[in-house]
Amino acid sequence: MDPHMSGMNQNPDGAPYSASAYPTASAGGQPPALAPQDIPADEPFLSRMYDILTHPTNIPHYVAHLRGAKWSTIIWLTVGLGLIESVATAIGGQMSGSGAVSIPGLSQLPSSGQAGLEAASRLGGNHGNLLTALAGFFLGSFIYWLLAKLLGGQGSYLQTAWLVALITTPINAASALLGLIPVVGLLVGIALGVYQVIMTIFAMAAAHRLTVGRATAVVLIPLAFAIALIIFIIGASVAILAGSLGK
């Protein structure tokens, strides 16, 4: 058995934990939202993404997809997302006229070489750096995992990163591409961001056997911290600028 997957299918009391373990509907109550049965470990990630994207608040669906979690797939998904965001950034820079780069000796190269170096420079920019994308993903997943553990979560770091990857890859890719459309892209991006937060809450509830309330804290605490940090940086920048203008 894969050591990363050990303990994945157990309840707090050690009993098997799977989609089929969810209780049946009680008389007069609403039927529970059951997960698809017998999802194979080698199920393609595209079908996994589609399933959870179309069942964003169905915890058993997330639980069912914990089986088959692989670091290799997570890395490839993160790299693929970074490439899509890099290309979108390069295209956006060209559209806005801010994509020009300055490379010493560039004018001495053939036009094909110039185009290649310019594209490589843009892909390595602040918004398209693959190392930054990888570091950001694994750091964010680690923060979720750590907070979940502090709140009594039982899932592994692999399970956390796996579900986060299945959620963020399609949503962030769509947001990056739609962001090229003025105004509409911004509005759709905001809506997708809210949708991603909601999905991540239910994913953390599934991966760590947490209540939705505790899972909400896991997701919103780092989000609130990030917003507060951005506001602080903007306020400090404005204060510095105002001070320099006042001299």
Side-chain angles (χ1 to χ4, degrees):
M1 179 181 293
D2 187 341
H4 293 295
M5 303 299 293
S6 62
M8 185 184 68
N9 296 319
Q10 290 186 347
N11 276 319
D13 57 2
Y17 188 92
S18 64
S20 60
Y22 279 76
T24 57
S26 58
Q30 293 294 327
L34 296 179
Q37 301 297 310
D38 301 324
I39 294 179
D42 58 351
E43 180 78 6
F45 65 83
L46 289 177
S47 64
R48 292 179 183 274
M49 290 177 181
Y50 175 79
D51 183 58
I52 62 174
L53 284 171
T54 54
H55 300 85
T57 61
N58 188 330
I59 292 178
H61 272 259
Y62 292 101
V63 173
H65 287 290
L66 287 175
R67 183 184 180 197
K70 296 179 182 178
W71 283 117
S72 58
T73 305
I74 293 172
I75 293 173
W76 280 115
L77 288 175
T78 308
V79 170
L81 175 61
L83 288 174
I84 293 174
E85 292 177 334
S86 299
V87 172
T89 299
I91 295 174
Q94 289 284 3
M95 292 172 60
S96 64
S98 61
V101 295
S102 178
I103 302 176
L106 181 63
S107 61
Q108 306 302 319
L109 297 175
S111 57
S112 59
Q114 295 181 29
L117 284 178
E118 286 179 348
S121 177
R122 293 190 188 96
L123 291 179
N126 291 333
H127 299 286
N129 190 295
L130 290 180
L131 291 178
T132 302
L134 284 167
F137 171 81
F138 285 108
L139 176 60
S141 298
F142 177 79
I143 292 174
Y144 287 150
W145 173 80
L146 181 60
L147 287 174
K149 284 295 184 182
L150 293 175
L151 292 175
Q154 300 177 41
S156 69
Y157 181 37
L158 171 60
Q159 294 166 349
T160 303
W162 175 247
L163 291 185
V164 171
L166 292 178
I167 293 170
T168 59
T169 301
I171 291 180
N172 287 358
S175 181
L177 296 175
L178 292 174
L180 298 174
I181 306 175
V183 183
V184 174
L186 175 62
L187 296 177
V188 173
I190 294 174
L192 287 175
V194 174
Y195 189 61
Q196 179 176 329
V197 169
I198 294 173
M199 290 190 68
T200 305
I201 289 173
F202 284 91
M204 293 303 99
H208 293 279
R209 292 55 151 175
L210 293 172
T211 64
V212 174
R214 291 192 176 190
T216 300
V218 168
V219 176
L220 293 189
I221 287 175
L223 179 61
F225 178 80
I227 293 175
L229 181 61
I230 292 173
I231 294 175
F232 173 78
I233 293 175
I234 293 175
S237 300
V238 171
I240 294 173
L241 179 61
S244 61
L245 293 176
K247 293 182 180 180

